[in-house]
Each structure stands twice: as C-alpha cells, then as structure tokens.
Amino acid sequence: MAARKLIAALGACALLATGCGGSAPMGAGGAAAGRDEGPVKIGALHPVSGSNAVDGQQMRRGAQMAVDAINAAGGIASLGGRKVELVTGDTQGKADIGQSEAQRLISAGAVGIVGTYQSAVSTNVAVVAERNRVPFVADVTASDQVYAHGYKYAFRVQPGSEVIATAAAQYLRQVSQQAGKPVKKVAFLHEQSDFGSGAAEAFTEAARQLGIEVGPDISYDAASVSDLTAQVTQVKASGADVLAVAGYYRDSLLAAKAIASVKPDLNAVWGVSNGAYDQPKFVADAGDLGALYFSTNYHYDATNPQTVALREQYQRTYGDPMRTGAVLSYDAVQVIAQAVEQAASTDPEKVRDAIAAARVQPLTVGNGPIQFAPNGDNRNALAVLMQIQNGQVKQVYPPEKAESRPEYQVTWRP
Amino acid sequence: MTNTTQGAPLAPEISPPQKKDRGFLGRAGVVGVVLVVAIVVALLQSGSGLVVWQSVVTGVLTGGLYGLIAMGLTLIFGVLDIVNFAHGALLAVAMFISFGMISATGMHPYLTLVVAIPALFLIGAAVHRGLLSGTGGKSLENQLLITLGLSLLLENGLLMFFGAEPKTIALPGDFQFPLLGAVVAGSRLYAFLGAILLGALLFWLLRRTRLGTAIRAVAANGPGAELVGINVRRIHTLTFAIGTACAGAAAALAGPLVTVTPTLGEQFNITAFVVVVLGGMGNVVGALVGGLLIGLVEQLTTIYLGGQSSLLGVFVVFILVLFLRPQGLFGRKTA
C-alpha cells in the first residue's frame, strides 16, 4: 500500500511539473501585433530563476543596458527616433518554458529575440523563431547543433563549441610546447548535456588531429552530482598529463575540490568553455584550489575602452562585476538594433536580412566586427586562453590578446 | 491515517524479533552478494583497483549523508503518512541559516548545528501545525500539493532574499588523508560520522524513550493510541518537527561539501525518496543502510557507464525494489 502511494505521489509530481510548463498555443495569428506603433520591441529570454539565475540576471541587465544606450543616443534614427523597449521572458533554464516564452514575446511584437544561455533552451527557441520568421540572435549558446540545421533565422554572437574546443586544443599544444612539456594525453571531464558533451567531442576531434591522445572521457550529471572524487581518481589512474573540464559553475567547483584532494599527476587543468574557471567568483570561492587553472572561453574584450566603461557602469549600478555573458547580451541587442536601423523597418523578415548583412563592432573579444556566416555563426568570434594568476583572471594566450604569460604548472606540483 | 495498521511502517521494530531475524539475515546476505558481484564487475570494467576502492569509499561516505536526509523523510512518512516534497527545500533553508550564521559571526560550520537543528525543529512544527495538520484523512493530493507548493515557496523565497549566486562554506582546517590509497576529505568523514551518530540517537529516541514509544504507537495504530490517552495530534507535530530537524542536521554537516544554492534541495530530494523506498518506508535504520547502498550504487554506476547519469543506476535499483520487494529491504510484508 505504502509503496503504491509513493509511486502515485511521484507520478502526480511529474505530471504537475510538466503540466506547468505546457507550451502556449502556437500560431502566428497575433504575431505582428503592435510592431508598427510605440517602441521597437526586442525580446530577451534568459534563465532569471532557477539554478542559473545569476547568469540569467546578468544577461538581462546587459541587454537592458544596450537598450538604454540606444535610447539615450536618440533611438532608431531611420524610424524617426522610435525608442527601443526590452520585453523579457524567464526560461527558468527549461527548454519547454523557453519555447512558450519565445512564442509569447513574438506574439507581443518582438522584432527579434536574444538569449538564452543554455544550448538546450536555444534549440527550442530557434525552432519557434524559424516557424514565426523572427530573427533569434543567441548571446550565449555553446552547442553547434542549432547552427547545423540550416535555419535562416538563427544567429550567434559567441564562438561556438567547436571554435572554442578547437582553440583549446591548439592553445594547449602551443603552451605546453613552449613550457617544454609537450602534452601527450588529455583526460576529459564534462557534464553530460549538449554543452559539455559537445565541447568534449569537438576537443577530442581537434586534439587527435594535433596528435594528442584524449581519454578517458568521463561525464556526469550536472544537476544531481554531489561529489567528483571517484571521477578524478579515474583520471589519476589513467596517467593523463592534462585534465580538461567542461562544466557549469557548481559542478566545476566540485571538480576543483576533488582535484585538490586527489591531486592527480597533472601538468595543467584546462577549462574548455568552462562556466567557472574564468569567473572572479570562482577565484574567491576556490581560493588556492583554483590557482593557475586555465580556461579557454569567450571573453569580454579587456583591451576595448568601451567595454571597460560598460563594465564600470555595470559595477556601479549593480555592485557586481559584469560577466562576459552580459557583455555578449549587450552585443546581441546591438546586432538587432543596428539591423532595424539599417532596414528602417520593424518587419522581422527585413530585420533578418539586415542581420545577415551586418557588421557590428563587438565589446567581446573578436577577430573583427560581428559578421555572420551562412549558417548564422559569427565569423570573427574568437576564444582566448585565460589563467588564474595571483587571484586574478588574466588573458594569457594568444599573445596579441595576452595580459600576462601562461604558467604551465599546477600548484600542487613543486 | 486510516490504514496504518496494515502499512505498519514502524511496526517491525515492535514485532517479536525471532521470526523476523532469519529473513533479515537472508536478505542482508543477498544484498551482500549482489554488492560483491557489483564491485567485482566494476573491477573488471575499470581495470583499476584504486578507482573502484575510491568509488566505494566515496559511495559509503556520501551514502551516510543520504541516509541522514532520508531518515527524516522516512520518519514523517512512517508516522504521518505524508510524502513530504518540501524536505529538500527545508534542507536548503537550513543550509542558508547555517551559511548566514557563518558569514555573520564567523563561527565554525559544525557549531551551526546547535542553531540549525532547533530552528528546523521549530519550522517543522510550524509547518505541520499551520499547513498539514488539517489534511489527515483527506485525499493524498492535498498534502502533496501543499508540500510541493511549500517547496516552491521556500526555494523562491531563498532566491529572493539571498540571490541565486552560489555560495560556499569553507571548513577551517579541512584536511585530506589517504585510506589504503583512496583519498578521504575530513569534511566528508565528519559528515558521515555525524550522520551515523545522529542516526543512532534517533534510533535510541524511538526505542528507548517514552516519546519514541508514543511515536511508534501512533504509527502502528493511531486510533488505538488515542484510546490509551496519547495526544496523536501533538505526536504528529513532534514527529514532523523531528524529521525536519534531521534535514537541519544534514544541512549543517553537508555545508562544507556542497555549493549552497536555493535549489540545492532538488539534488537530494529524489535520491532521498529512493532511499526511503529501499530501506522500507518508515524504517529509520533502513533509511541509513539504504542511504549507504544508494551512495555505493551511484558511484559504481559511474564506473559502469563511464559517468553517464549516476541517477540511472539509482532508478534501476528503485524499480527493482518496487518489483521484488515493494516494502523495502527492512519492511515487513504487508497483506
């Protein structure tokens, strides 16, 4: 009796959980509502509640700052100075909710959507955008899958999983050779969704081409993992000389704790699209545990005075350092707003064509202006290598973006 | 609370021991054999004794913590017949109480036990009196929706007050020591020992005190207990409060091991439910042993499947238990 009762309870819970997130009715009937009068609406979809709410809030604020800057500069000139308004949605980090929220923002008259931080959510949002013929400009979305479907309305500002992972493998080879300890074998520890597995696959492919062996490949469930000691012990037993980690914040911190206690025989810990190892917060939380960790990732451009000014303004307003995710959201809003300006129209299809032809100066690190390839990817997106040195995250490679020299040696090895 | 005589969650402890023991030893033997086989297979799979040994050590230590969390849950279920979905959220509340005290006063993380346990005891009592005491005898969905709603309320309340920024609790003077090649973190060992100690204390409370006898009497036969003068409503509130206090204790012990976030409870909630089923619903010792087993299963699954969701192994065990022995390892067969 008791067991049956519990099953019924769990079942009811599951039903309830999915029931809440049921998608809104589809159909583009009211899609054009209100686009022709009032402010030009740009949709921002981020996880502002749930376990990734910190990043979600950062990114929503970044998007809002872009909108404020555009309005302060007189709005959209080609539309007679019409103001821009950010309409926001909360994905809660869930793909189905992201989907219904995207539909809602489009129905509310958004000319384009920026978002969403999680690849799984972006996958669903891209489908909604495609169906409604409204451009979706991803700020943070690592997985390359979305951009392999041949969608016409999906764009992306950040360098994709493959770009970052390939750069990570190349930087690793170059930095380890410079240090006189060329890398031979890399163990890869990653969370198991699109984001972590995608990074691991792309890295493995790139590393093999460079003659670096990758293995073991160890994955874990980021939502439920509470300890990674056994996984790191596997790394230790494998004899790898570098450990690459692709995870979100909480689990990457767990990995750092496990690495500190197991002390595997490594030359370096190498973050690949890692959500922790280039965050000031990680430096504070991990203390000595994270010293000299490397991270290959997208990054705000510390050498651009505009970026510096923006980050100072953010810090003043919100009392918190502005993260790269928020700078990417700022860039993504700029892309849409400049496209509206160019198109002199709020017709999403015309805005889409303007985005496809756009050249926008980014505040994040890039090889040049944001410019989209036919698949929607930013051609000039660039990943940089960072390292935690003396309690600060420094850009260390490639040399033209470096603030400091890479130190290829882990702390626990004298 | 209509059918408690049949479900009799805490009843095995009162039933005559001689009949139950042989079956229990047999079951323990089966579990032991399965574990040994599982470990040997893991050895063959990974080819490294060190990896398997570390998994076993980590599994047991983490399992202690699961056990402690599940003990509170199973007590509430056994006595009140309430499936408390807010257990994880209450754990998160305790974690933030602990975190708040540490950051405000700089006190030692384990000292927060003396605040977290009573605080959660009081919160538990208040929750039961305020929200749940009226639902006895009504449909299951009422309690379910209340506890589920409460967990959402608590999580989002924490999110509002503390923000989603993950927080860490550092244990001053934490250390690592080798155990036959495996690494054991001091904080993990303390959490494990604390769980065992509190489990023993809870067992003693249930078996050797007047309150414990009353709780078991209410669990076995509510109307009967009422007839002999036990204030059933009061016992219900106390039991819910004690169960919640277990979450408080687990929170203070686990603080240095985890990253503190408002949604932290979700990580433990599902695992704790599986532990409760495995250990036999309402059985406190079963919860502790079940916790250790689930901890092991989780770690060994990591070896078998190269780390693909360790929850997969946990759910396989869950389903097997439901099929083969729905009353749990320690529960008595019900009619």
Side-chain angles (χ1 to χ4, degrees):
Chain A
M1 190 285 293
R4 226 176 297 137
K5 184 168 175 177
L6 191 71
I7 298 166
L10 284 170
C13 175
L15 265 180
L16 205 75
T18 50
C20 294
S23 52
M26 291 295 159
R35 273 196 195 107
D36 295 330
E37 70 268 357
V40 177
K41 289 174 184 160
I42 295 178
L45 265 181
H46 297 110
V48 290
S49 65
S51 55
N52 288 306
V54 188
D55 284 288
Q57 278 158 2
Q58 278 253 353
M59 292 168 76
R60 180 183 280 184
R61 288 169 185 164
Q64 186 62 52
M65 287 172 86
V67 166
D68 292 345
I70 294 159
N71 287 337
I76 307 284
S78 66
L79 292 176
R82 267 174 79 183
K83 298 288 185 213
V84 180
E85 182 191 340
L86 196 72
V87 287
T88 56
D90 180 7
T91 67
Q92 302 173 25
K94 293 172 187 154
D96 53 336
I97 294 179
Q99 186 172 358
S100 53
E101 285 288 275
Q103 189 67 48
R104 182 176 66 79
L105 295 186
I106 290 169
S107 302
V111 296
I113 291 179
V114 301
T116 69
Y117 187 68
Q118 283 130 319
S119 300
V121 181
S122 291
T123 307
N124 278 15
V125 172
V127 174
V128 176
E130 196 70 15
R131 198 186 298 149
N132 289 283
R133 297 169 187 270
V134 170
F136 165 51
V137 181
D139 36 34
V140 177
T141 290
S143 168
D144 291 322
Q145 279 183 13
V146 182
Y147 299 88
H149 289 306
Y151 290 157
K152 268 185 73 190
Y153 292 84
F155 301 90
R156 168 164 71 178
V157 179
Q158 82 150 92
S161 196
E162 200 179 324
V163 173
I164 294 178
T166 307
Q170 282 165 352
Y171 296 165
L172 173 59
R173 181 156 167 270
Q174 289 152 7
V175 169
S176 67
Q177 273 174 353
Q178 278 172 15
K181 297 172 192 163
V183 60
K184 292 190 192 71
K185 186 176 176 186
V186 181
F188 211 114
L189 178 67
H190 62 92
E191 69 86 37
Q192 64 186 6
S193 77
D194 279 2
F195 156 59
S197 302
E201 270 168 43
F203 181 89
T204 305
E205 182 57 33
R208 291 232 163 101
Q209 284 177 9
L210 296 168
I212 304 167
E213 188 191 345
V214 182
D217 176 272
I218 306 166
S219 64
Y220 58 85
D221 180 8
S224 69
V225 73
S226 58
D227 182 90
L228 285 164
T229 314
Q231 285 83 344
V232 175
T233 306
Q234 261 175 279
V235 171
K236 186 177 189 172
S238 74
D241 45 9
V242 168
L243 169 60
V245 185
Y248 295 109
Y249 187 86
R250 190 186 71 84
D251 40 307
S252 295
L253 182 58
L254 278 180
K257 285 183 183 175
I259 292 166
S261 51
V262 175
K263 293 189 173 43
D265 193 21
L266 301 171
N267 288 322
V269 179
W270 206 263
V272 179
S273 305
N274 190 291
Y277 300 159
D278 52 27
Q279 303 278 1
K281 169 133 185 70
F282 174 75
V283 178
D285 280 347
D288 293 342
L289 304 185
L292 299 183
Y293 271 35
F294 285 99
S295 178
T296 311
N297 215 338
Y298 51 75
H299 202 222
Y300 60 83
D301 191 348
T303 58
N304 184 338
Q306 261 185 291
T307 311
V308 174
L310 179 74
R311 294 188 78 243
E312 274 168 6
Q313 190 197 340
Y314 187 100
Q315 175 91 44
R316 268 200 310 278
T317 317
Y318 301 107
D320 194 20
M322 186 182 197
R323 297 182 184 179
T324 301
V327 184
L328 280 166
S329 301
Y330 190 98
D331 280 348
V333 170
Q334 289 278 15
V335 166
I336 295 178
Q338 290 192 21
V340 174
E341 182 77 69
Q342 284 296 320
S345 164
T346 51
D347 176 5
E349 299 205 38
K350 290 189 180 137
V351 174
R352 183 256 157 220
D353 292 340
I355 291 175
R359 295 173 73 91
V360 177
Q361 288 303 326
L363 301 190
T364 38
V365 172
N367 270 332
I370 299 169
Q371 214 183 345
F372 296 103
N375 74 341
D377 246 331
N378 176 5
R379 269 180 220 280
N380 291 324
L382 177 73
V384 288
L385 180 68
M386 291 158 276
Q387 188 174 30
I388 299 169
Q389 296 180 346
N390 302 320
Q392 280 192 312
V393 179
K394 294 268 173 70
Q395 291 175 199
V396 295
Y397 206 85
E400 64 271 20
K401 300 283 177 191
E403 301 171 277
S404 173
R405 286 173 55 83
E407 283 181 48
Y408 191 70
Q409 188 172 45
V410 296
T411 34
W412 62 85
R413 252 179 147 189
Chain B
M1 295 310 302
T2 45
N3 261 342
T4 28
T5 346
Q6 247 192 7
L10 282 176
E13 290 168 15
I14 332 175
S15 68
Q18 59 270 42
K19 253 194 119 177
K20 156 187 101 170
D21 266 7
R22 209 182 309 140
F24 169 71
L25 279 180
R27 289 199 295 279
V30 171
V31 170
V33 169
V34 170
L35 261 186
V36 169
V37 170
I39 289 171
V40 169
V41 173
L43 256 176
L44 293 175
Q45 174 93 11
S46 78
S48 159
L50 177 68
V51 170
V52 176
W53 174 234
Q54 177 72 59
S55 299
V56 170
V57 169
T58 309
V60 168
L61 293 181
T62 315
L65 205 58
Y66 292 159
L68 183 58
I69 298 168
M71 268 191 276
L73 203 59
T74 207
L75 189 68
I76 291 169
F77 188 84
V79 179
L80 287 86
D81 236 13
I82 290 177
V83 179
N84 183 15
F85 277 111
H87 203 63
L90 287 162
L91 178 89
V93 168
M95 201 75 96
F96 273 95
I97 290 176
S98 184
F99 172 79
M101 302 213 34
I102 293 163
S103 51
T105 65
M107 72 199 297
H108 194 278
Y110 295 140
L111 263 184
T112 60
L113 272 171
V114 297
V115 183
I117 294 177
L120 267 277
F121 184 91
L122 291 177
I123 293 174
V127 164
H128 183 260
R129 267 291 144 87
L131 296 174
L132 290 163
S133 62
T135 62
K138 297 211 181 99
S139 73
L140 175 66
E141 289 76 17
N142 283 1
Q143 302 166 353
L144 216 94
L145 291 176
I146 289 173
T147 58
L148 206 59
L150 180 64
S151 81
L152 289 175
L153 189 77
L154 290 176
E155 268 177 20
N156 288 296
L158 289 174
L159 197 64
M160 218 168 82
F161 284 112
F162 293 94
E165 191 81 31
K167 295 164 178 66
T168 46
I169 295 174
L171 181 65
D174 196 6
F175 59 96
Q176 275 95 33
F177 66 94
L179 183 71
L180 303 174
V183 183
V184 178
S187 47
R188 205 161 277 279
L189 183 70
Y190 291 143
F192 174 77
L193 293 177
I196 300 284
L197 198 72
L198 284 162
L201 198 70
L202 194 59
F203 187 67
W204 172 82
L205 180 98
L206 286 173
R207 297 301 296 265
R208 294 276 180 269
T209 63
R210 276 181 70 86
L211 173 65
T213 312
I215 289 175
R216 285 185 294 134
V218 170
N221 187 341
E226 192 129 41
L227 278 179
V228 297
I230 294 172
N231 184 343
V232 172
R233 188 157 173 257
R234 195 166 144 258
I235 293 295
H236 277 173
T237 304
L238 276 174
T239 308
F240 196 91
I242 293 171
T244 312
C246 285
L253 288 168
L257 299 176
V258 299
T259 315
V260 185
T261 60
T263 47
L264 164 102
E266 286 169 10
Q267 274 180 70
F268 293 107
N269 236 355
I270 298 272
T271 318
F273 276 117
V274 177
V275 169
V276 166
V277 172
L278 179 65
M281 275 153 281
N283 190 315
V284 169
V285 179
L288 192 56
V289 177
L292 298 181
L293 288 174
I294 287 298
L296 275 172
V297 167
E298 210 183 60
Q299 293 296 327
L300 291 175
T301 309
T302 304
I303 295 182
Y304 296 147
L305 302 178
Q308 291 297 336
S309 183
S310 52
L311 275 179
L312 188 63
V314 172
F315 281 122
V316 168
V317 170
F318 184 51
I319 289 165
L320 283 179
V321 168
L322 287 177
F323 266 116
L324 301 174
R325 213 182 146 72
Q327 70 274 35
L329 287 178
F330 293 83
R332 198 174 51 168
K333 241 195 179 79
T334 53

